[in-house]
Amino acid sequence: MSKNDILVKLSNAGIFKDNKWLVRDVDLEINKGKIVTLIGPNGSGKTTTAKIALGLYKNINGNVERFTKNISYVPQKVSIDWTPVSYTHLRAHET
């Protein structure tokens, strides 16, 4: 991959909050056309690392470079209301 293919690059990135490191010394490079999945146990810093890459934390240690504004994040859990809805009160419009 060339340097032009890099979307986000974290170098020695970390965040220190409430007297503890949430994540520390993260090196990560995300390239165009690639899907990145962070895997680890609960509390290991996956979401925090993603938020650092997205620029949601302001006071971080290390360096974050973003070479695009088009970055997406899919949360681990998505809540969908599956409650059935009845539309029997609606009438079709005749044309």
Side-chain angles (χ1 to χ4, degrees), residues 2 5 10 13 16 24 32 34 39 44 54 57 73 75 87 92:
S2 73
D5 291 328
L10 280 64
F16 190 80
R24 186 176 185 181
K32 289 180 186 176
K34 301 295 179 183
I39 300 172
S44 63
L54 291 168
Y57 287 116
Y73 168 69
Y87 296 102

Side-chain angles (χ1 to χ4, degrees), residues 5-8 30-34 53-54 66-73:
D5 291 328
I6 300 171
L7 298 176
V8 179
I30 301 172
N31 295 295
K32 289 180 186 176
K34 301 295 179 183
L54 291 168
R66 279 178 223 79
F67 302 98
T68 182
K69 293 181 182 178
N70 299 321
I71 301 174
S72 298
Y73 168 69

Side-chain angles (χ1 to χ4, degrees), residues 31 33-37:
N31 295 295
K34 301 295 179 183
I35 296 173
V36 176
T37 304

